[in-house]
Amino acid sequence: MKFFISADIEGTTGCLNWDYTMGKSREYEIQKEIMTQEVLSCVKALTKVHPDCEILIKDAHHYGNNLDIRIFPKNCKIIRGWSHKPHSMVQELNETFDAILFIGYHNAATMSSTPLSHSFNGSKFQRMRLNEEICSEFLFNYSIALHYGVPTILLTGDMGICEEVRKKDSSIHTVYTYEGVGESIITKTPESVYDEIYQATIQAAKNIKKISPTKKPYTLQIQYKKHTDCLKASNYPGSRMLDSVTLSLSANNILELEKAFLFL
Ligand SMILES: [Zn+2]
């Protein structure tokens, strides 16, 4: 068995604000440890159910060097940094994987379920929609996995993104880490979340259903924070400005769209 884990930090336990996500702060040092332990809980459970499995982990936050690689077992490989290829947070994902799992994910830009809600470039994009749905990083990456016929079996993150995920596909196991209230969060403890991730991954890994690839057209709508960014992006072939800050672009499938997204 081959598993792919994409790991972010904003939806990990106790992640309150941007101080916890980057820089030289003590908060970030602690949060990296929590992120590492959450991914490790998932790895331990996958390996318990499938002792011969291979696990590829994309460290998919900021500079891509958050995880403490020293404590992961031999059956893991970890992708650090950014390739600048279109898959980005799911770099190297392809049809050879049996399932994908998302750890530490967060709700989409403009959603109120976490103080840290954003979609990809938070300083540039006000809101994104993918085929009319408000687009989180999860929805985008999930769509790439669908293209390859790789089932998503688990997601952990803030309570709001977990609800969105279950609406999308009720077969995906979710573990919520905290509930956002304005600029505050009501967080579970790491001890409780590590255990819940382990148990949920065990359940998810025992019951993996094969799915066929879904290759379909997508339309991405991006609402920019600055009208000048929208105007600049509108030079991309095939894109269309809907108003001074909103751009629309359609593609035959998600792989074509994600390539274009690199330039928007
Ligand atoms: Zn992040």
Side-chain angles (χ1 to χ4, degrees), residues 17-183:
N17 60 41
W18 298 109
D19 290 344
Y20 290 78
T21 67
M22 62 187 86
K24 297 208 182 302
S25 65
R26 177 164 179 273
E27 289 88 343
Y28 179 43
E29 289 305 314
I30 293 170
Q31 206 60 41
K32 283 193 285 188
E33 269 180 53
I34 292 175
M35 176 186 177
T36 298
Q37 290 298 332
E38 290 189 5
V39 175
L40 188 64
S41 302
C42 183
V43 162
K44 282 181 181 165
L46 289 173
T47 310
K48 173 87 180 166
V49 179
H50 303 284
D52 298 328
C53 72
E54 290 172 34
I55 303 170
L56 184 60
I57 302 164
K58 173 69 187 99
D59 187 330
H61 170 74
H62 199 42
Y63 294 132
N65 62 352
N66 309 276
L67 297 169
D68 182 352
I69 64 170
R70 293 171 296 182
I71 64 171
F72 286 89
K74 287 178 186 168
N75 61 338
C76 294
K77 279 190 182 149
I78 297 155
I79 304 173
R80 313 183 85 195
W82 297 101
S83 68
H84 303 295
K85 288 192 199 171
H87 280 7
S88 181
M89 297 178 81
V90 291
Q91 183 189 335
E92 312 302 334
L93 182 67
N94 59 37
E95 59 286 330
T96 65
F97 288 87
D98 294 287
I100 181 166
L101 306 92
F102 297 94
I103 302 288
Y105 268 57
H106 52 83
N107 215 340
T110 71
M111 302 300 277
S112 62
S113 73
T114 160
L116 296 169
S117 62
H118 65 282
S119 299
F120 298 100
N121 187 339
S123 53
K124 192 171 178 188
F125 306 136
Q126 179 66 27
R127 173 175 272 177
M128 288 170 52
R129 288 181 192 273
L130 189 63
N131 286 359
E132 305 286 319
E133 284 178 77
I134 290 181
C135 184
S136 60
E137 292 166 10
F138 158 76
L139 184 62
F140 200 86
N141 296 329
Y142 165 80
S143 306
I144 296 169
L146 283 184
H147 182 95
Y148 289 121
V150 178
T152 296
I153 59 169
L154 176 116
L155 176 135
T156 74
D158 67 271
M159 188 189 263
I161 188 66
C162 289
E163 280 165 13
E164 296 296 327
V165 166
R166 287 195 303 273
K167 266 191 258 167
K168 189 83 202 144
D169 180 347
S170 59
S171 76
I172 301 173
H173 292 254
T174 60
V175 173
Y176 94 83
T177 53
Y178 66 78
E179 180 186 356
V181 184
E183 285 187 342

